[in-house]
Amino acid sequence: MLKIPPEKLRKWRKQLYSIIFRTDTPAGKAFDIGLLVVILFSVLMASLESISTFSRQFAIAIKVAEWFITVCFTIEYALRIYSSRNRRKYILSFYGIIDFLSILPSYLGLFINGTQYFVVIRSLRLLRIFRILQLTRFMDESAFLAMAVRKSLDKILVFINFIFILVIILGSLMYVVEGGVNHSFSNIPRSIYWAIVTITTVGYGDITPITLTGQMISAVIMLLGYAIIAVPTGIVTSEIIFRKRKKTSTVCSQCGSNDHEQDAVFCKKCGTILPDKKNSP
Amino acid sequence: MLKIPPEKLRKWRKQLYSIIFRTDTPAGKAFDIGLLVVILFSVLMASLESISTFSRQFAIAIKVAEWFITVCFTIEYALRIYSSRNRRKYILSFYGIIDFLSILPSYLGLFINGTQYFVVIRSLRLLRIFRILQLTRFMDESAFLAMAVRKSLDKILVFINFIFILVIILGSLMYVVEGGVNHSFSNIPRSIYWAIVTITTVGYGDITPITLTGQMISAVIMLLGYAIIAVPTGIVTSEIIFRKRKKTSTVCSQCGSNDHEQDAVFCKKCGTILPDKKNSP
Amino acid sequence: MLKIPPEKLRKWRKQLYSIIFRTDTPAGKAFDIGLLVVILFSVLMASLESISTFSRQFAIAIKVAEWFITVCFTIEYALRIYSSRNRRKYILSFYGIIDFLSILPSYLGLFINGTQYFVVIRSLRLLRIFRILQLTRFMDESAFLAMAVRKSLDKILVFINFIFILVIILGSLMYVVEGGVNHSFSNIPRSIYWAIVTITTVGYGDITPITLTGQMISAVIMLLGYAIIAVPTGIVTSEIIFRKRKKTSTVCSQCGSNDHEQDAVFCKKCGTILPDKKNSP
Amino acid sequence: MLKIPPEKLRKWRKQLYSIIFRTDTPAGKAFDIGLLVVILFSVLMASLESISTFSRQFAIAIKVAEWFITVCFTIEYALRIYSSRNRRKYILSFYGIIDFLSILPSYLGLFINGTQYFVVIRSLRLLRIFRILQLTRFMDESAFLAMAVRKSLDKILVFINFIFILVIILGSLMYVVEGGVNHSFSNIPRSIYWAIVTITTVGYGDITPITLTGQMISAVIMLLGYAIIAVPTGIVTSEIIFRKRKKTSTVCSQCGSNDHEQDAVFCKKCGTILPDKKNSP
C-alpha cells in the first residue's frame, strides 16, 4: 500500500484549502468558476426535469446528469470537510448545511420516494455566486450596494411595518364591504392578500372588487401604493448619495479618522490638513 | 367591607396611569407589549373566523377566544378610563373611540345579530403599534420618515389632485370610445376606476380596452403613469435628502461653509474649530 | 324702457370682469368656487347618467339637473364674452372653446340625437381647478412642480422616444415568436400594445405569452421596464433637488442677479456680498 | 456612351458621402429626415399588413407599398456602399447588416415563402432615430442620459444578478409549494417566469397562487419587489445628480470651495474671482 508522509499530506491539504475556500488565487478562481458551472447546470437540469414532456422523453439522460451532479457535489463536499481548518464550523455553517442538503435527496431517493422536492435546496447553492462575485470588478459595487441597503434597513422596516398594518386594516374593510356579494373576498386572509397585490401595484386580477364602494376603496389603495413607493425609493436614494460622497476615504495622518467627505480639505476630527490635499488648494 | 385610604388609591391610580399610558418605564413597556400580543391575537382570530371551513370546525374554540379577548379589552378599557387624568378627553379621543368600538360588537352580539362586521374596528387597534414603536430603536426613523412625508404632503396633494382630474377626463374619454362595443366600460364610474387601475400601473385586467383607439389611449395613460411616478418619488426623495443634510447645518465662523457632517468638530474647508463644538471635545 | 348711462355700464362691466376672470378678490374667489361646485356637479351627473339603471329610474331628475347646469354654463359663457376685454381672444382661447363646447351638446340634443357623447368635454372643464388652485396655499407648490417637470421635459421626451422604439422592436419580435401559436398576438399593433402594457409594469393579463421563448423575452422586457423606471425618476428627482436649492432667490444689490444658491454668501456674478448675508458670517 | 471624368466622380462621391453619412449639413439633415419618414412608413405598413382583415382587403396597395419601400431601401443601400470611405467596414457594421437584412426578405420572397417574419428586422432600422436625434436640441440630453446609465450599469448588473438568483430560488420554492395542486405551476421554468412577473410588479394574473402558503410567499415577493425597486432608482438618481454637479466643478483658489454653479464667475463663499473665469468676463 502507498504511504504518504504526513508533512506532504498537510501541505497538500493546505493547498486544497486555498483552492476550495479562497478566491484570490488563479486555482481558487478556476475552481469557483467550475463549481458555478456545475451549479448552473444542476439548476437547469432540475428545471428541465420538472417539465413532464421533457422528463418522460429524456428519462435516462436526466438520470445520468442527476448522478453526475450528485457525484460532483459529493466529492466537493468531502474535500471541503477534509481541507477546512475548522470542520465542525464548516459543517454547521449556512453554506455547509446547504452543501449537505443538496446531495442528500439523491441518495435518499434510492430508498424512499418523494424527495424530488428537495430540488429547491439545490437552487440555494446559487447563492455562492455572491462569493464568486467578489473576484470580479463587481466587488466594489456589490459591497457599496449592500452597505447602502443595510444602512437604510431600519427605515425600510418601519415602512414595511406601516404597509403591513395598512393592508390588514384595508383587507378587513374590503372583506366587510365585498365579502357578502363577491366570493373572491370570501375570508380575511384572502382580502389581505388582495390588499398586498393591490398596494404593491402588482395587480394580478385574480381577486377584483365588483361593488362601487369596493372599487372606490380600491382606487384609494392604488393611489396610496402608487404614491408611497416614493418612501423606500427616497430612503435608498438618499443613502446612496450620502455614501457616494464619502467614497474617497482619505485617512488623516494625525488622528487616523477616515470618514471624510470628498470635498474635505481639513480633517473634521482634529483639523489637520488632509494628506492628498496638501498641494492642491 | 375593605376600605382603602384615598391617598393610597390616588398613588395606585397614578402608578396605573404610568403603566398604561406611558411607554418609558419597564412596566409600561411590558404592558404595551402584552397588549400588542392580545391585539395581534384578536386580528388572527378574526382572520381565522372568517374562513368558513375553519369557523365551522372550531366553533367553540373561537367563541372562547372571542370572549377572552373581549374581557381583556374591557378590563383594559375600564382601567384606562379609571386611571386617565382627563377621562372625557380620553373617551372622546381617536384611540378612546376605537378602544370602545372594539369591545362593543361582542356585547351587542348577545342581543342582536350581524355585528360580526365590526371586526374591522378591531384591526384598527393595530395602529397602537405605532405608539409602541416609540419605545424602540425605530423611534428616530419613524419620526424622520413621518416628518419627511408631512413636509412633502402639500406637493403630493397637488400631484394627487392632478391625477384625479386626469383620470376623470381619461375615464370619460374611454367611456365614449369603448362604451358602445365593450360592456366593461358600461358607465363612467367604471371607466374612471379603470383609468386609476391603469395609471397607477396596478393593471388588474378585469376591464381592458378592445378597440384599437381604446388601446392607443390606454398606451398613453400607461406611459403617463409610468413616467409621472417620478414626481412623488422626486418630492419625497428631495425632502429626505434635505432633512438629512439639515441635521448638520453648523456654519463655520471663519469661512462660512455650512455643509459639515454631524460628527465634524473642525471645518472641512479651513480647519477652524466649529462654533457649537468649542466646548464639547 | 330702462336706460343705463354708459359710464355706469362700463364700470359694471369692469367689476364683472374682475369677478369672473380674476381670482384675487373675495368676489372673484367666491365666483370661482361656485363655478367649481357646478362643474363637479355636472361631472357627477354625467357619471350617474351613464349608469343605465340609475338613468332609467331618475330620468326626469337627470333632465332637470342637465338643464340647470346648461343654463348656468350658458349664463357664465355669455357673461364671460360680455365682460372680457378682448372678446375674440377669449372665444378662440383653449378655455373659451371648452366653455362653448360644454353647452353646445344640450342645445343640439333638442334637434338631433347622439350628442350625449360630448359629455367628455364637460369633464375638461375640470381643468379650471388648476386656475382656482392659484388662490390657495398650493400655488407655490403647483408652480414649483410645474417648473421642475417642464425643466426635465426634454430629457423625459428622449426617454419616451427610447421606450417607443423599444416597444415597436419588441412588439414585432413577439409577433414573430408568438403570432403563429397564440391568437392574442394576432397582429403587430396588438403586440406593441402588449409590449407597452408589459414594460410599464401595468400587466393587464389580457394578452400573455404562452411559448417558452415568448415568456423568456417577456421576462427581459419586464426586468427592463422594472429597471429603467429609474431613469425618469432620476431626472425629475435631480431637477427637484436643484430647484429647491435655488429657492431663496436673494437679489444682489449691485448687479441684480437673483439666481443664487441657498448657501451663497457672495454674488456669483459680481462678487458683492449678498444683502441678507452681510451680518451672518 | 456618357463619360464622366474621374475627378468629378470623386467629388460627387464625396458629396454623396456627406449627404448620406453626415448629419450636420442641411442636405444630410434632409436626407436623414426623409429616410426616417420611409422607415416609419415601412413599420406602419408592416403593422397594417399583420392585421388579417386589412391585408386581405388592401392586398394590392400593400404589395405596391412593400416594393416602393424595398426599392427605396435598395437604392439607399447601394448608395451607402458606393459612397462609404471604407466599404468593407460599413457592410460588416451593425447598421450595415441591418440595412442589408431589411431588403433581403422582399427579394427572397420572390422565390421562397415564409420570409414575412423578417419584418422585425425592418423595425430595427428605427434605431437610426438615435443618430438623427443628434441633430436636434435633444443631443445633449441624450448624451447625458446615456452617460448616466452607462456609469451606473455595473451597479445595475449586480442588482439584476441578485434579482435573477432570487427569482430562481423563489420560483423553485413555489413549484414545490403550488406544483401539486395548481397546474399553473406545472414546472420550474413557468414558476420562475411567474416569479419575474410578480417581483417586477407586472402581475399578469395568468399564473396565480391558490394555496394559502403560496399566497403568503407571493406576498413576500411582492413586498420585496415593491421595496427593492428603490435600488436601481437610487443608483441612477445619484448618478444623474453627480453628473449634473460635475459640470460645475471649479475650485476656488482662495477658500477651496468647489460647489459653484456653471455660470458662476465669483466664489459664492469668499467672493474671489474663480480661476477659469479670470479672462472670460
Side-chain angles (χ1 to χ4, degrees), chain C residues 167-178:
Chain C
V167 294
I168 290 174
I169 294 174
L170 292 171
S172 308
L173 188 65
M174 282 300 276
Y175 167 68
V176 170
V177 169
E178 290 268 330

Side-chain angles (χ1 to χ4, degrees), chain C residues 154-155 173 187-188 194 198 201-205 222 226 233-234 239 246 261 263 265-266 268-271, chain D residues 50 120 137 141 144 193 197 201-204 225 228-229 233 237 240 244 261 263 265-266 268-271:
Chain C
D154 269 21
K155 283 200 194 66
L173 188 65
N187 57 56
I188 292 181
W194 167 85
T198 302
T201 77
V202 170
Y204 282 142
M222 286 169 209
Y226 185 64
T233 305
E239 197 58 47
K246 289 205 184 157
E261 289 186 79
D263 62 345
V265 179
F266 291 88
K268 67 180 177 181
K269 287 296 182 202
C270 67
Chain D
S50 73
V120 71
R137 68 187 170 108
E141 311 294 353
F144 180 83
Y193 164 73
V197 169
T201 78
V202 170
Y204 282 142
I228 60 180
I229 186 134
T233 305
T237 303
I240 288 177
K244 228 174 179 174
E261 290 185 83
D263 61 347
V265 180
F266 291 88
K268 68 179 177 183
K269 288 297 183 199
C270 67

Side-chain angles (χ1 to χ4, degrees), chain C residues 110-176:
Chain C
L110 292 176
F111 310 106
I112 51 170
N113 281 322
T115 55
Q116 73 277 18
Y117 287 153
F118 283 83
V119 86
V120 72
I121 290 157
R122 214 160 261 181
S123 74
L124 278 176
R125 295 212 76 189
L126 279 174
L127 291 173
R128 278 205 181 271
I129 289 176
F130 288 114
R131 285 209 58 223
I132 295 164
L133 267 185
Q134 291 174 10
L135 305 165
T136 65
R137 67 186 171 110
F138 294 111
M139 186 174 122
D140 276 356
E141 311 294 353
S142 277
F144 180 82
L145 285 182
M147 177 60 80
V149 170
R150 203 173 309 139
K151 279 275 168 182
S152 40
L153 212 60
D154 269 21
K155 283 200 194 66
I156 285 180
L157 283 179
V158 169
F159 175 75
I160 294 268
N161 179 46
F162 171 75
I163 296 280
F164 257 109
I165 293 172
L166 209 66
V167 294
I168 290 174
I169 294 174
L170 292 171
S172 308
L173 188 65
M174 282 300 276
Y175 167 68
V176 170

Side-chain angles (χ1 to χ4, degrees), chain A residues 16 20 31 67-82 90 103 107 125:
Chain A
L16 204 68
I20 294 180
F31 176 83
W67 280 105
F68 168 74
I69 293 162
T70 305
V71 168
C72 281
F73 284 179
T74 308
I75 294 171
E76 183 220 345
Y77 185 59
L79 289 178
R80 272 185 197 273
I81 291 178
Y82 174 70
Y90 163 68
I103 52 172
Y107 294 110
R125 292 210 77 189

Side-chain angles (χ1 to χ4, degrees), chain B residues 28-193:
Chain B
K29 214 168 160 169
F31 176 82
D32 273 336
I33 287 167
L35 179 59
L36 184 58
V37 169
V38 178
I39 292 173
L40 285 173
F41 178 67
S42 80
V43 169
L44 184 71
M45 284 316 295
S47 298
L48 291 175
E49 198 185 344
S50 72
I51 303 171
S52 56
T53 56
F54 188 92
S55 67
R56 242 172 293 140
Q57 216 175 338
F58 300 95
I60 295 164
I62 288 173
K63 210 81 203 164
V64 170
E66 168 89 10
W67 279 106
F68 168 73
I69 294 161
T70 305
V71 168
C72 281
F73 284 178
T74 308
I75 293 171
E76 181 221 345
Y77 185 60
L79 289 179
R80 271 185 198 274
I81 292 179
Y82 174 70
S83 69
S84 71
R85 285 181 208 165
N86 186 338
R87 283 167 192 173
R88 192 204 185 94
K89 202 181 147 197
Y90 163 68
I91 290 170
L92 295 177
S93 73
F94 176 69
Y95 281 119
I97 291 167
I98 288 176
D99 290 350
F100 175 66
L101 288 178
S102 68
I103 52 172
L104 189 64
S106 301
Y107 294 111
L108 282 183
L110 293 177
F111 308 106
I112 51 170
N113 281 322
T115 55
Q116 74 275 20
Y117 286 152
F118 282 85
V119 85
V120 72
I121 289 158
R122 216 161 259 183
S123 74
L124 279 177
R125 293 210 77 188
L126 279 174
L127 291 172
R128 279 208 181 268
I129 289 176
F130 289 115
R131 284 209 59 222
I132 295 163
L133 267 185
Q134 291 175 12
L135 305 166
T136 65
R137 67 185 170 110
F138 294 111
M139 183 174 123
D140 275 355
E141 311 294 353
S142 277
F144 181 82
L145 286 182
M147 178 58 80
V149 170
R150 203 171 311 139
K151 279 276 168 179
S152 39
L153 211 60
D154 268 22
K155 284 200 193 65
I156 285 180
L157 283 178
V158 169
F159 175 74
I160 294 267
N161 180 46
F162 171 75
I163 296 280
F164 256 109
I165 293 172
L166 209 64
V167 295
I168 290 174
I169 293 174
L170 291 171
S172 308
L173 189 63
M174 282 300 276
Y175 167 68
V176 170
V177 169
E178 291 268 330
V181 292
N182 186 346
H183 76 276
S184 291
F185 290 87
S186 57
N187 57 55
I188 292 181
R190 267 182 81 83
S191 301
I192 292 174
Y193 165 71

Side-chain angles (χ1 to χ4, degrees), chain D residues 238-277:
Chain D
S238 70
E239 198 57 47
I240 288 177
I241 289 174
F242 275 76
R243 216 126 284 283
K244 228 174 179 174
R245 210 175 271 165
K246 242 192 191 159
K247 283 185 181 168
T248 68
S249 58
T250 321
V251 180
C252 174
S253 57
Q254 197 71 21
C255 72
S257 67
N258 62 356
D259 199 26
H260 307 292
E261 290 185 83
Q262 232 170 342
D263 61 347
V265 180
F266 291 88
C267 171
K268 68 179 177 183
K269 288 297 183 199
C270 67
T272 314
I273 197 163
L274 290 172
D276 57 344
K277 307 283 176 173

